Amino acid sequence: MIVRDTVAALKRLAGEKPEFRLSELQTDPGEGESLERLAGEVRPHLDDLGLTLRPAGDDYVIGHRPAGPLTVGDAGRDRQLAFFEKPEVPDYVQRLVESHVEKKTGKPWDDQVVLDRMANAILAQKSRYWKERPVSYRKAYPVLGYLAYHAPVYLVQFEHIFWQVISRGLAKPHMRILDLGTGPGVVPLAVIDLLGRIGSGTAEVYAVERSEEHLEAYNALVPAAAAAQGNAVQVHKPIRADIGALDPGDLPDRIDLMVFSNVLNELRHLDTDRRADLVAGLAERLAPDGTIIVVEPADLANSTAMRRTVRAIADRGLAVHSPCSFIRGTACNPARCWTFEQKGDIRPTRLMERLAEGKDGYRFVNVDIKYSSAFLRKDAKTQHAYRVPPGAKFARLSHLRRHRDKKINAVAALMSGNLGDRRTKVYKVCDGTARDPVYAVVPATLRGTNRDALEGLAYGDILRLYGVLVRFNKDHDAYNLVVLPGTRIEPVGCPGGAGSETMST
């Protein structure tokens, strides 16, 4: 009866005011009725009522959830883009990590004994990774090593990904986020930092992790970071569980963003279909317009395994939003699909710099951001709706063997940054039909505007290529579309993009 009366009062106040204090719902404040307890009573009803709850000093503010996607003001956008120009782990996060190291070891964070033990843990992790063996985080130093070596890059990396979510209109003014296999909370830290910097949006963060040591680090870092950034992000107590044994019913529902960051590759005991079943099952907890993000390392084995898993997830009813576009309306063959994004290097943290002062210091510097990712949606929304029109005279990439050493027209999505060097530029492209990899190649001898025509384009952008030369690279069993002085390159949507089409499909 008490809860029913509270919900009724909540509805009444929401109908009368655009915003009000939780304390206005207190019936007997003099009797010591706890606001924390009252907040716990109303939270399960907020989504259905379209309301939000955020801390405000000793009280809470309840407001109406704004309609439409999250919008970012010019000042907030400029601050975030400036961060990406010179990315580094924020000082307040570095200090939290250093404090956690000191608490766990009982020594200064830069004590040489501490650094040596962290260095040994990092070397052991790297060795097991490259041998494709599982890494254990049951003891303190493996987690401290992770915080020193992996976490800085992963934090900035997820800021890039979360910024894509916002920029593509997939973020809501208030987000319910679930991070599966959160480790020490790198994804929540990225969300907290980004929302704090742009000054727009709020979020509730839920997390699942099985390692007790990781959870201890999470509890030391994430709530404190949220407080440092103004409590725009509400941090819920993480769930201790193995994601491979989760019952979806044990998780919060109506999740707007579900994240698997560097997690699925660690489930080596599961084959592709079982990994896909796992993700599809947990997707039951998504909101109708929710997004799943899968992120994996950019190396060949993990990147291609991720593409196979994403393809299998799509077969279970979820839609691939990006980067794949399926512009031919066909299901692709991901067996040799090695694609990844690359962003600007981060600045080493203080902890990383101290580790690098020792013997073979370069082995402890991890600053380059390369990752493979995919967005999946429950509502079939995709980044690009473009499909090659019936009868359009562009060669399918699966038919390139017919056109060796000839000039053709083609249309494809750009699936990588420059994989070559400054002289010979190489870009992975895909139209969803080819079994063998296909690359757009800008040769070292090319001069003129075409030399830089593919630079500055976004991962997943769709291009029309007129007059490219088909070459077969027998060393890599792949095809190259060589850009010539007379080649015309047009992103889809440019004026005059239809062009002259001379090659039949």
Side-chain angles (χ1 to χ4, degrees):
M1 178 63 72
I2 294 175
V3 173
R4 185 180 302 172
D5 291 344
T6 300
V7 174
L10 180 66
K11 291 180 179 178
R12 177 178 57 77
L13 284 171
E16 296 172 354
K17 302 179 180 182
E19 195 172 85
F20 55 95
R21 298 275 174 166
L22 181 65
S23 56
E24 295 179 52
L25 295 174
Q26 284 182 301
T27 55
D28 295 304
E31 298 298 319
E33 182 182 11
S34 167
L35 276 175
E36 289 295 329
R37 182 174 179 180
L38 190 57
E41 289 180 7
V42 303
R43 278 194 182 103
H45 306 280
L46 294 175
D47 271 344
D48 291 338
L49 296 175
L51 301 174
T52 62
L53 178 75
R54 69 177 188 273
D58 296 330
D59 206 339
Y60 292 82
V61 171
I62 298 175
H64 292 269
R65 180 169 294 127
L70 172 64
T71 57
V72 182
D74 291 342
R77 183 178 301 275
D78 289 345
R79 286 192 295 271
Q80 189 60 33
L81 294 179
F83 170 81
F84 288 141
E85 285 292 322
K86 296 180 179 179
E88 62 180 323
V89 176
D91 184 69
Y92 72 93
V93 176
Q94 292 196 52
R95 284 188 278 106
L96 288 171
V97 170
E98 291 161 2
S99 295
H100 180 63
V101 171
E102 292 180 346
K103 182 178 178 181
K104 288 296 295 182
T105 64
K107 298 176 181 294
W109 66 267
D110 57 353
D111 182 90
Q112 194 58 52
V113 172
V114 172
L115 294 173
D116 289 344
R117 290 178 179 175
M118 273 195 282
N120 289 334
I122 292 168
L123 293 176
Q125 289 169 9
K126 292 171 72 172
S127 175
R128 296 189 70 85
Y129 174 83
W130 290 114
K131 292 177 181 177
E132 297 187 15
R133 295 177 180 175
V135 177
S136 173
Y137 294 104
R138 294 180 181 177
K139 297 181 179 180
Y141 273 101
V143 172
L144 299 184
Y146 182 97
L147 286 169
Y149 185 81
H150 296 287
V153 161
Y154 289 162
L155 187 151
V156 177
Q157 174 178 293
F158 197 78
E159 290 212 27
H160 280 288
I161 294 168
F162 192 43
W163 185 246
Q164 289 176 348
V165 174
I166 295 171
S167 301
R168 295 173 186 176
L170 304 181
K172 299 176 182 178
H174 180 78
M175 297 281 285
R176 287 167 62 85
I177 300 172
L178 175 62
D179 184 25
L180 283 306
T182 189
V186 175
V187 165
L189 288 172
V191 171
I192 289 165
D193 187 57
L194 190 150
L195 291 183
R197 183 176 296 109
I198 66 175
S200 301
T202 59
E204 296 175 64
V205 170
Y206 302 85
V208 177
E209 175 55 46
R210 67 179 179 179
S211 161
E212 210 168 310
E213 287 289 342
H214 267 322
L215 287 174
E216 186 176 346
Y218 182 104
N219 290 325
L221 302 175
V222 178
Q229 290 294 86
N231 287 311
V233 177
Q234 179 188 354
V235 179
H236 293 273
K237 182 179 178 181
I239 300 167
R240 188 181 180 195
D242 185 331
I243 67 169
L246 272 177
D247 182 338
D250 294 334
L251 297 173
D253 63 355
R254 301 183 66 83
I255 293 297
D256 299 307
L257 191 65
M258 184 177 291
V259 182
F260 297 83
S261 180
N262 301 291
V263 168
L264 297 181
N265 74 85
E266 295 183 358
L267 303 178
R268 292 179 174 85
H269 60 291
L270 299 182
D271 61 20
T272 298
D273 283 331
R274 290 172 68 194
R275 292 183 193 184
D277 287 340
L278 171 73
V279 175
L282 295 176
E284 295 175 11
R285 310 308 286 174
L286 277 179
D289 54 354
T291 303
I292 292 176
I293 295 179
V294 180
V295 190
E296 296 291 1
D299 63 275
L300 175 62
N302 283 307
S303 180
T304 53
M306 189 214 75
R307 296 297 172 202
R308 291 193 296 271
T309 300
V310 168
R311 180 65 255 170
I313 295 169
D315 291 339
R316 285 152 175 80
L318 289 159
V320 180
H321 172 274
S322 57
C324 308
S325 298
F326 309 105
I327 58 178
R328 291 283 184 180
T330 59
C332 66
N333 183 338
R336 296 184 64 195
C337 186
W338 184 15
T339 71
F340 55 87
E341 287 194 75
Q342 183 169 358
K343 304 294 185 180
D345 290 357
I346 70 167
R347 179 179 175 178
T349 63
R350 291 186 291 268
L351 182 52
M352 200 182 295
E353 288 176 333
R354 286 289 286 114
L355 285 164
E357 291 175 3
K359 183 180 179 182
D360 296 331
Y362 69 92
R363 303 176 74 179
F364 308 105
V365 176
N366 183 25
V367 296
D368 57 321
I369 298 180
K370 294 181 181 179
Y371 60 93
S372 296
S373 67
F375 290 21
L376 298 110
R377 294 277 294 185
K378 202 171 183 178
D379 61 3
K381 185 175 183 178
T382 58
Q383 181 182 8
H384 297 293
Y386 174 83
R387 295 291 181 272
V388 180
K393 296 180 179 180
F394 296 102
R396 288 176 177 259
L397 299 189
S398 57
H399 294 171
L400 293 183
R401 65 184 181 279
R402 304 176 185 176
H403 308 300
R404 289 191 191 183
D405 304 321
K406 298 178 182 178
K407 289 193 290 184
I408 66 165
N409 301 332
V411 59
L414 188 70
M415 298 298 289
S416 77
N418 179 18
L419 305 175
D421 53 37
R422 291 183 179 180
R423 299 186 71 248
T424 301
K425 303 178 183 181
V426 180
Y427 302 84
K428 179 84 166 59
V429 295
C430 178
D431 71 351
T433 68
R435 177 178 294 272
D436 299 323
V438 181
Y439 301 92
V441 176
V442 179
T445 56
L446 183 68
R447 298 292 181 267
T449 58
N450 274 351
R451 178 144 195 86
D452 300 322
L454 296 176
E455 292 186 6
L457 297 175
Y459 190 63
D461 277 357
I462 301 168
L463 308 170
R464 295 187 181 99
L465 304 162
Y466 298 95
V468 286
L469 179 64
V470 178
R471 296 290 195 191
F472 180 67
N473 185 332
K474 64 181 180 180
D475 292 336
H476 296 281
D477 195 21
Y479 285 91
N480 293 338
L481 301 179
V482 181
V483 177
L484 305 172
T487 298
R488 192 165 85 253
I489 301 172
E490 296 176 350
V492 166
C494 283
S500 58
E501 299 165 355
T502 60
M503 178 64 69
S504 68
T505 57

